[in-house]
Every structure is written in structure tokens, then in C-alpha cells.
Amino acid sequence: MELDALYQEVILDHYKHPQHKGLVPTYDAQVHHVNPSCGDETTLNISLDNGSIKSISWDGVGCSISQASVSIMSDLMIGKSVKDAEVILNSFVDLMQSKGLKSGDPQILEDGVSMAGVSKFPARIKCALLGWMAYKDAVLSASSK
Amino acid sequence: MSQLDVAAIRKDFPIFTRTIRDGKKLVYLDSGATSQKPQSVIDAEVDFYSRSNAAAHRGAHQLAEEATEAVEAAREIVANFLGGESDEIVFTKSATESLNLLAYSYTSLITAEDRIVVTEMEHHANLIPWQQLAQRTGATLSWFEVTPEGRLDLSNIDNVITENTKIVSITHQSNVLGTINPLDAIVARAHEVGAVVILDACQSVPHMPINVTELNIDYLAFSGHKAIGPTGVGVLWGRSELLEMLPPFLFGGSMIETVTMTDATWAPAPRKFEAGVPNMAQIVGLGAALNYLSKIGMNNIHLHEIELGSYLLAQLSAIEGLQVVGPVDMQNRGGTISFTFGDIHPHDLGQYLDAQGIAVRTGHHCAWPLTRKLGVAATTRASLYFYNDKDDVDALVSGIIGAKKYFGRE
Ligand SMILES: Cc1ncc(COP(=O)(O)O)c(C=O)c1O
């Protein structure tokens, strides 16, 4: 069923056991992103160290797709260089825009490939991208400090 | 069940012959967002384009005459439907435009001392135009609060509608909660202080008998597409002496009396508010839609929705973990029912239901301050109409129970 392609076990796992959820009090940048069409919200804190991502923490409300996606993203990005993280981000955005035609590179995206099914549901792509766009915004603002 | 022969009615709506997501029957429970269209409405638009298309109110040829007649006949239908006069009916593109028209046209009539009153349960379309009017003029925006049960709190009505209040703009039926707001006390208080009452009737005109004279209101707005009519056509009804006094909002062709290089004067209402060639085919389609509704009978529609709504409410209350957001009895409420369901997010529930062919709305329903006030980030909303039946409700209920199994899996 199409639905099972959307709701992979990995996604429901991240939804039930979100990683790096709960804002840490010290950060280089904090951003708040909302999805105006459904009201989902994410606040994201980021700290950089010498061109690398030292920490990401977040809090928010939203559907399983948006919550799992930000959890997967945090897991992926922490410890990476900002440069490598950009490759991951671009690869994820590309996967989301693939209309179900791509399956994603597990070497780059790891758990993120479980989101491939989302790209077949136009209304849900924004859910999946919410945390990633928050990351993009946060890393930019932390880097420019 | 009710008087309505739903099976026969559904035959008039071609969309019910298609299937959803791999052959599932369409269970359409999103009429609050937009309604489906009967063949007669589709035909009316097609006929207009096929036979009578020309610019209404312009030109001296036969087609222009016929187009004008078709538009004016639709105006008459709308007027009769609402219990108003033909020259009190302004065609717009939507309720959103009708409400913006009012908010803009009142700009020069509102000062910094004045108050504008809305409610916490407004659709953004009946909130933001008034926020903006308040910001343009320095006037104060105030509002009736919503109780935890999803009713308007009118206990402080004299403090909300004060001597300085000039405009009271409220929704007749909440598009989120289904609450039908009591108007008598609000209208009486508003008129006592000399304020006008504007009714956002988007969710009431399609669902119950409405008579503007009996309601004793001053303006009313609704959208054709929620009343089985076409998209792209809305209505503003206003009392004739008010439309007479009100300055126009959009300027251009067809709304003038005389024009020189430096100035212009306005045609009488409603033409003053209808600049440009109107959405003729849609206006004609709206006439056909209201004729269809009248044939079914607005009271029959209302009773059917109350009956089906109470069945749905009873079924929903029996589901463990499901919380109705809004009134839990059918007293002064319509067949629009919002709810939350345990820790399954509405977006996920909606997606699961969609896979079963069931169309519901999820999110804040363009009433973000309301969902925030009620402490829910989002809800799932089922909105009933006269083409829904018990089977639709049963499908929704088993879909909700199925979702619990689906997302509860470890
Ligand atoms: C109560 C209410 N007011 C206003 C509107 C705006 O209607 P439209 O988008 O057709 O202009 C809607 C529709 O969503 C509504 O439900």
C-alpha cells in the first residue's frame, strides 16, 4: 500500500523516540519555523565549533513526518562539517522533490532515505522539510556570527 | 433517517461516480472547505459559454443583452434566497473579497476613537481585514472570547460592544467548531450603539434557511463554492441605504456614472461595487446552485445535517481517546465537527483516512487564534452536507479506529 511507503517503521520509530529533542540552553543561533498551512512548529538551537556542527537540539509540535524528519536530520548533522552537512541537505531536498522517482543515497542520508515515500505526497513534503529548512536557516545565522 | 433521498441526490453530483486511491469509494467530508457541484451547475456554466457569452452591461447586441439578463436573473435568485432586494446583492469573487471590500470601504468612515468587534472564532478572512482596518485608522479591535465548550462568551457584551463601536463582524457558524452563534443579543446591542452588524455566513447560507430581514443584520457575505456553486463567485448583501452611503473599493469600468480626466462619479449600488466585467459564467452557475438548493429545501438540508451530525457526534464520543473540539450536543451547532484523537496527529490521521478514500480537513482551518486559544495545535474536521449519509459517517468511524491500529503498531 502507498501508505506503508509513507509511514516506514523508521519514521514511526523516530516519531515515538525523537532524537535530540529538548532545547539545550546554550547555542550560537536559534530559529523558529512554522508550516503556515498546518500549524506545525519547530524551534531549533545550533552550536558550531570550528566549521563543524557541535550540537543541534530542537523542540516542536507536528505530525509524525515533520517530527521524525527533524529527528533524523539532527542525528545526521551533529558532528559533521558544515560543508558535508550541506551535501546531505541538498541530497535530502533533491529526494523530496523527486515525486517518488528516487530512493535516496543511504551512504549520504542514512535513515533519511526512509523519507523517500513522502515525495509522492505533495502535501507532506513541507512537513518533511520543516526541520531541514530550520537547520539551513540556523546554520547560516550561526556561521555569520 | 431524514426526508432527503440522498441516493438520488448523489446521482446529480458527477464526482461521486469516480473512485479514490485505487478504487475506493469517495467519502467526501470536506464540504466546509468547498462543496461538490451538481450537473445542473456545471451545465449552467457550460450553457452560458456555449450560448450567451458576451460582456454583460456592455454592448448593444443580442448576446450582450442575454448575458446581462443571465447575470441579473442570478442576482434576483440570490436576493430571493436571502430575503433581500436585487439591488442589495453585490457579486464579488469570494466571501474573502466581500469582507475585504467592506473593510476597505469603511476606511474613511472609521476614526481612531472607534472600535471594531470580532470574535475569537473568526476565519482569517473575517479577522485580518479588520485587523488591517484598525491599523490603517488607529481604531481599536476587540473581540468576544470563546469558552472551553466552544461557545461565544457574551457575559460582558456591553463591555465588548461599547458606545464607540462602529462595526461588529462575526461568523454565523464556526468553520472549525460548528457552533452556530446566537445573533439576537449581539444585533440588539450593536444597533443600540449605532454599529453595523456584518455576518460571515460562509458556513450558514449553504446549510440552513437564512433571511437577512429576520436576522436584522446589515451586511452578509458568503462564497458560491461552498454552496454547491462555482468557484470565483461570492456575494455581499448590504442594506440598500448602507450600500448607497458606502464608498466603492475597486475602481474601473462599469462602476461609474460619469468620468472626466480628473474625476469620476459612481453608478448606484450594486454597480458601484462591481468594477470590471464580472465573473458571468460563475454568477449564472451560482443562480443554478441556489435554485438546486431551494428545490431540495434549506430546512430539509438543515434537518438532515442535524440528524446526521448527532449520529456522528454519538459515534465519535464512543471512541476512546477521541476528543470533540467544540459543542458536544446539537444545540445551536451544525454538521461541522472537529476533534483530536489521542496522540495521532491530525495530519497523520487525515493521511490514513485518505488512503481509505475519506476526505477530511486537518490543521488549524484558517482560524489559528481559535485553535491556539483552545490549546490544540491542529484538529481533524469532518464537515457534513446534504449529500452525505450514514454510510459516510460509518466509514469515517471505522477509518478512525483503523488509524489507531495502524499508528499504534510497534
Ligand atoms: C467561516 C468562513 N469565512 C470565510 C471563508 C472564506 O471563504 P473564501 O475562501 O471562499 O473566500 C471561509 C472559507 O474557508 C469560511 O469557512
Side-chain angles (χ1 to χ4, degrees), chain B residues 32-33 94-96 99 123 125 171 173 175 200 202-203 223 225-226:
Chain B
S94 60
T96 299
L99 293 163
H123 187 281
T171 188
Q173 176 177 318
N175 65 309
D200 175 355
C202 273
Q203 301 290 346
S223 275
H225 71 93
K226 292 179 202 278

Side-chain angles (χ1 to χ4, degrees), chain A residues 99-110:
Chain A
K99 300 193 162 80
L101 297 177
K102 291 184 185 166
S103 52
D105 183 347
Q107 301 288 342
I108 300 175
L109 290 177
E110 302 178 25

Side-chain angles (χ1 to χ4, degrees), chain B residues 10 17 43 47 49 60 95 114 143 146 160 190 195 248 258 282 295 303 305 308 338 342 357 362 373 382 393 401:
Chain B
R10 289 167 75 92
T17 60
D43 287 347
D47 285 352
Y49 284 130
D114 293 335
W143 54 87
V146 172
V160 176
T258 61
Q282 289 68 38
K295 202 179 77 205
L303 292 177
E305 287 179 28
L308 205 54
S338 279
T362 64
K373 166 81 179 237
V393 171
I401 291 164

Side-chain angles (χ1 to χ4, degrees), chain A residues 31-87:
Chain A
V31 298
H32 181 71
H33 276 219
V34 300
N35 180 345
S37 68
C38 64
D40 286 2
E41 302 188 34
T42 293
T43 304
L44 187 144
N45 291 351
I46 195 166
S47 293
L48 302 182
D49 183 19
N50 238 333
S52 284
I53 295 149
K54 193 165 111 201
S55 86
I56 293 176
S57 64
W58 60 277
D59 206 349
V61 289
C63 62
S64 60
I65 304 296
S66 77
Q67 301 291 286
S69 192
V70 62
S71 172
I72 289 169
M73 181 278 297
S74 324
D75 246 2
L76 268 171
M77 299 306 207
I78 293 170
K80 300 275 181 347
S81 71
V82 171
K83 260 213 170 104
D84 289 348
E86 195 177 334
V87 174

Side-chain angles (χ1 to χ4, degrees), chain B residues 362-379:
Chain B
T362 64
H364 53 59
H365 316 292
C366 300
W368 214 339
L370 174 64
T371 48
R372 206 177 278 127
K373 166 81 179 237
L374 295 172
V376 290
T379 71

